[in-house]
Every structure is written in C-alpha cells, then in structure tokens.
C-alpha cells in the first residue's frame, strides 16, 4: 500500500505548494469498510493551509486528480476516498513481491546503522523461567525485524553470572553436594543446593560469612573459587543452550555480568569525577531525587558492585565497541525503574547518546490461570513446557495426517511455534495466560494456524507443479477481481508498513496480528476462488497470488521466529 500512498500523495502534492508528498502519505487512513474505498485522505488536515473547508478541498481534488492506479474518487464528508483500480493494483503487488521475494516489505532504512539487543539474559544456576522465555522470544523477533530493515544487529545475552549468590552456592556445594549429583542434576541440583543454603543459614548464620568469604575470593581471582564458578556457568549454559536450540534462537555475544568485572572501576571514577557519587553510610550512590526516583546504588559498603553498576558499565562498553545507533533491553516491567534510573545516570554522565537507550518492557505470563514463579514449589520448567507442546502437537498431527513422514521435525516446529506465538500475539506490555487449547488450536488466532495456512498454500503450489506457479508473464488479472482476492492483495500490500510500525514501536505483536489478518484473508480467498481450475488463465493468476502469499507469510513468520513447514 505504501507504493500507492506514495503515488497518490505525489500527485496531490503537485496541486499544493506548501505540503510535501511525505506529509500527505502519512495522513492516509484505511476506510473501515471496503465500499468506502481502499484509501482515504482526511482533508481537514489541509484546510488551514488552503483556507477552505475540508468538503470544498475534497470536491476540488476529486475534479483535478487523474490517476491511472485509481478507478474512482469519492468526496464524502471532507474525506477523499480512493478506489484503486483492481487490475493495476493486483499487477503491481504481485510484481513487487515476485521481484523482491524474501526482501519484499523491507525499506532497508537501517542500512549502515547498528542496533544492540540485550535479550533473554537468564541467571546462572537458576531455572530458565518464563520471563526469560518472553524476553528471548521478543528480543529475537526484534533482532529479525531490525535485520530485515537493514540494520546490523548485535544480540547480547547479558547472563546473570556474577554476585554473592555464587559464594552461597560454593558453600552449599562443598557442604551438601558432590560432582556427580551436580553433573547429573544440573540446574535442578544447583537450585536444591541454593535453597538448602538458605534453610541452613537461618539456623546457622555463620554460613553467610563463609559465603561472603568465598565470593570475595572469586572477586580476588582465587583459582578454586573461579573453577567452581565456571563449572556452574557451564552446567547452566548447557541447559540454556538446549532451550535456545529448540527455539532456534542465537546470540552474537554471551558477555554476561562478570564480563564487566575489570571495567567497572573506570566507570566509578568517571562518576566521581562528574561529582555524581555520594557516600551514604559507607555505600556509594547517585541521587536521583530531582527526577523523582530513588537513588541508584553503585557500590555497596564492602565495595562490591551492583546490577546498576554493571548495566552502566556495559552500556558504555557497548557504545564504544559497537558504536550503536540504538540499544534495546528486553525485560519484564518489574524492571522499569531499574532502567529509568540507570538511563538517567548515563545521561548525567554527559553521554548525549543516552536517548538511544530503550527499555522494551513486557507483561507477566501465567499458565492456565496459575502464576508462574520460580519460588519454592511452584516451578514450571520451560523446557518441559516446550517438550509438552511438541508432544501434544505430534499427537494432533498424527491424528490428522497419519501418513506424514517427518512428523517429529514438524511437531517441533509447530509445538514451539505455538509457544512463541502465544508470547507475541498481544501487545507486549499485557499480561498473558497460556492455555494449551488456545495455543495449539489450528483454527484460532495461533501460531499453528499461521503455519497451517502456509502449509495449505505450499500444498496447492506443489499440486500445481513448481513450473506452473513459476510462470508469471502475462497474467490475466481479471481473474483476481473477486472481492476476496482483492482483500488478500490489500493485506499483502500492507506488509512493509507493518514491519515499520513494529520496528518503531519495538512491538513484534504488530507483525503477529498482521499475519493473522493475512492468513484469514488467504483462507477466504481459498474458500471463494477455486485455484486449480481447468481455465489456464484463471489458474495461473490465482496460483501467482497463492505463491506471493506464501512468500509474505513465510517472511512475516520468520520475523516473529516461527518456522514454516511445507506440510502439516
Ligand atoms: N538477568 C536479569 C534477570 O534475570 C535480566 C538482565 C537484563 N539485561 C540487563 N542488561 N539488565 O532479571
């Protein structure tokens, strides 16, 4: 649709001196029902400039505009409504998609720019919980959206791999653990030891001192302490990597919190030099009263650093290393204040680029109504959720299609897709509830529905034979005049705009919802317009539309991290 907006806006701007085509293009609206036209321009935007009523402007333009791509222009209540020429439109959309294929919809606005995306970032020795899953899925989708628009992306997993908890873990391991139990039990065993430490420390507070001593050793580079720490990190990463593998998620860097250990003192010096640090009972902090926020704690009494210190240091490091134009952080909204605070500190440090930092916050997830927390007794293991989703999907596929060959592969793609889509279908800030019935529904607004629609398009194309679908010269587009075909073409033409919105709002759900609309439009077309008909011209034209729909569905699904099996 962008093309048509540009085209029409260009013509209108030639009739007015003081307004640019871009401005006009930005004013277009989509009429609520197709009878009113395909694009409309609210003319009140122009009444001040032209000193005329919107209705008079609309009437005037209606007379003077002559556009090949437009069949009819109505003037109604101060709106100019454009009815596109169906054939010109169909030809244009199909040609664009066939030419640009999997680049269709990209405006390449990010060429030469870099964005750093901090996502997933689970904590070592703790279970990978549901907030990390959401962060992973949202961050990964943003990564793909930015890449698609031509940005060069750096995906960073800011692992929570440093802190006093590791001192506790070492004490617990030495008191109640052994190598085999940790190797076999993995994060579960590490968590058991950690919980046991707290139980025991209630009775025996000296354990806390021991733990502090071990953490101090870690900070001083003690070999034994670091050896154990590294082992805990490896064990945890092994489990995290299994989840990333299932999800198809990758990172460019695993520089976690510990990576900044030797880089923080320089930042603390910088804060001091700028007179931002204030001592408070032996601790050091940056006051933020003037901005209605509690202070940002930079150093504890014992001189150790904090979450804020690491994030500020990491931001400076990333700016210097990657020269980013934008840096985004994906966490749940419980961390809103944390990010507001340290973004402000970076600004106070005099970094004018602090405005390039963005916190992408998201809501909480519950599971069939029950809240998911990693606190004692209420742990839902993410890997188990994914495996369960795969198993349930496999059963559904086997019931529908007992002959299927690569059922395990498809069950993985679809089962995982269901979980991913569930995380991405609503505005990220909303809390969501996971329900198996909803997530695995092949007809509802779900990941499997999108994948099923894509597989349906693929199967038509396969039946028609690759050649048939590949010959696109001289399509007779009158065969796409049906209202259902036209609506589908309109959906296809709006892909690029949705990519742009999703990027500007840092909101993958824009794509998810767009894809649901696209899939629905395709299924209506499929229902109303028989494709594999005798009439060769009709068949060719409709196959072309199926083929370009398949392309856009696949691109869009890729942007939200969904795979597109050919059969299911
Ligand atoms: N590890 C943190 C947590 O689990 C998330 C880290 C997010 N990234 C960051 N740069 N603070 O809550």
């Amino acid at each position: 649709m962008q093309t048509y907006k540009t085209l029409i806006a260009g013509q209108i701007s030639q009739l007015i001196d003081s307004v640019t085509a871009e401005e006009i293009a930005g004013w277009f609206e989509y009429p609520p029902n197709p009878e009113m036209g395909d694009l409309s321009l609210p003319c009140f935007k122009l009444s001040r400039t032209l000193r005329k009523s919107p209705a008079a402007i609309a009437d005037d333009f209606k007379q003077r505009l002559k556009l090949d791509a437009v069949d009819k222009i109505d003037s109604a209540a101060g709106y100019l409504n454009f009815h596109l020429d169906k054939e010109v439109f169909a030809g244009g959309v199909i040609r664009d998609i066939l030419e640009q294929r999997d680049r269709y919809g990209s405006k390449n606005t990010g060429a030469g720019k870099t964005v750093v995306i901090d996502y997933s970032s689970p904590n070592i020795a703790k279970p990978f919980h549901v907030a990390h899953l959401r962060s992973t899925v949202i961050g990964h989708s943003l990564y793909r959206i930015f890449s698609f628009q031509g940005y060069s992306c750096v995906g960073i997993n800011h692992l929570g791999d440093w802190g006093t908890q590791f001192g506790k873990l070492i004490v617990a391991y030495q008191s109640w653990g052994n190598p085999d139990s940790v190797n076999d039990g993995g994060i579960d065993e590490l968590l058991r030891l950690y919980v046991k430490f707290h139980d025991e420390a209630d009775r025996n507070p000296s354990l806390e001192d021991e733990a502090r001593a071990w953490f101090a050793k870690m900070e001083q580079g003690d070999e034994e302490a670091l050896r154990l720490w590294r082992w805990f990190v490896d064990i945890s990463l092994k489990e995290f990597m299994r989840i990333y593998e299932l999800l198809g998620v990758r990172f460019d860097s695993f520089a976690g919190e510990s990576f900044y250990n030797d880089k923080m003192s320089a930042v603390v010096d910088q804060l001091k030099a700028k007179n931002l640090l204030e001592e408070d009972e032996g601790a050091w902090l940056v006051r933020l009263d003037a901005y209605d926020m509690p202070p940002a704690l930079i150093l504890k009494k014992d001189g150790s650093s904090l979450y804020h210190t690491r994030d500020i240091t990491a931001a400076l490091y990333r700016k210097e290393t990657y020269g980013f134009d934008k840096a985004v952080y994906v966490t749940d909204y419980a961390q809103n204040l944390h990010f507001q605070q340290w973004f402000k500190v970076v600004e106070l440090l005099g970094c004018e680029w602090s405005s390039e930092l963005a916190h992408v916050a998201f809501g909480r997830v519950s599971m069939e109504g029950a809240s998911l927390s990693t606190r004692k007794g209420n742990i839902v293991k993410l890997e188990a959720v994914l495996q369960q989703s795969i198993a349930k999907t496999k059963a559904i596929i086997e019931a529908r299609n007992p002959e299927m060959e690569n059922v395990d592969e498809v069950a993985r793609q679809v089962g995982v897709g269901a979980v991913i889509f569930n995380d991405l279908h609503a505005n990220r800030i909303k809390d969501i509830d996971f329900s198996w019935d909803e997530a695995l529904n092949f007809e509802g607004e779900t990941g499997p529905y999108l994948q099923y629609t894509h597989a349906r398009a693929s199967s038509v194309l396969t039946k028609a034979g690759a050649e048939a679908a590949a010959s696109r010269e001289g399509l007779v587009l009158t065969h796409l005049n049906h209202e259902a075909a036209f609506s589908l073409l309109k959906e296809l033409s709006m892909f690029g705009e949705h990519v742009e919105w999703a990027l500007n709002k840092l909101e993958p759900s824009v794509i998810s919802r767009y894809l649901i609309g696209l899939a629905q439009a395709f299924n209506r077309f499929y229902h109303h317009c028989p494709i594999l008909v005798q009439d060769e011209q009709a068949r060719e034209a409709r196959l072309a539309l199926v083929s370009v729909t398949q392309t856009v569905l696949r691109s869009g699904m890729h942007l939200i991290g969904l795979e597109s099996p050919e059969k299911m």
Side-chain angles (χ1 to χ4, degrees), residues 118-123 129 132 135 158-160 257 307 311 314 318 329-331 335 338-339 342:
D118 177 317
Y119 59 109
S120 196
S121 309
N123 300 319
H129 66 69
H132 296 129
S135 171
H158 190 74
L159 295 169
E257 298 195 31
Y307 191 35
D311 261 329
R318 291 171 190 178
Y329 297 82
V330 189
T331 80
Q335 298 196 30
H338 167 75
F339 284 96
W342 77 256

Side-chain angles (χ1 to χ4, degrees), residues 2 44 101 124 143 174 178 318 331 353-354 378 420 458:
Q2 232 146 10
F44 67 86
R101 304 203 153 259
I124 295 300
Y143 189 104
Q174 290 178 333
N178 65 71
R318 291 171 190 178
T331 80
W353 49 267
S354 69
N378 192 15
I420 292 178
S458 306

Side-chain angles (χ1 to χ4, degrees), residues 375-483:
R375 257 176 265 125
K376 261 188 269 177
N378 192 15
I379 296 165
V380 178
K381 294 202 62 177
L382 251 312
E383 200 178 349
V385 172
L386 291 171
Q387 293 297 2
Q388 205 179 339
S389 184
I390 294 170
K392 283 183 186 246
T393 310
K394 186 172 171 183
I396 296 172
I397 295 177
E398 276 171 342
R400 296 169 71 107
N401 188 354
E403 244 89 283
M404 188 130 126
E405 286 156 21
N406 54 341
V407 60
D408 283 310
E409 171 68 357
V410 175
R412 184 191 62 75
Q413 295 173 317
V414 177
V416 168
V419 175
I420 292 178
F421 193 85
N422 184 70
D423 261 9
L424 295 180
H425 78 285
N427 278 359
R428 57 181 156 77
I429 204 65
K430 282 205 181 144
D431 294 338
I432 50 180
D433 185 41
F434 184 90
S435 126
W436 286 113
D437 283 350
E438 270 172 41
L440 296 180
N441 189 344
F442 282 32
E443 306 295 335
E445 301 190 355
T446 64
Y449 170 69
L450 295 179
Q451 289 168 317
Y452 183 65
T453 306
H454 171 271
R456 172 178 261 181
S458 306
S459 121
V460 176
L461 293 170
T462 312
K463 259 191 229 146
E467 263 89 311
S471 63
R472 269 110 197 185
E473 289 308 313
L475 291 176
V476 182
L477 298 164
T478 42
H479 294 290
L480 299 180
N481 268 346
H482 191 283
E483 172 275 322

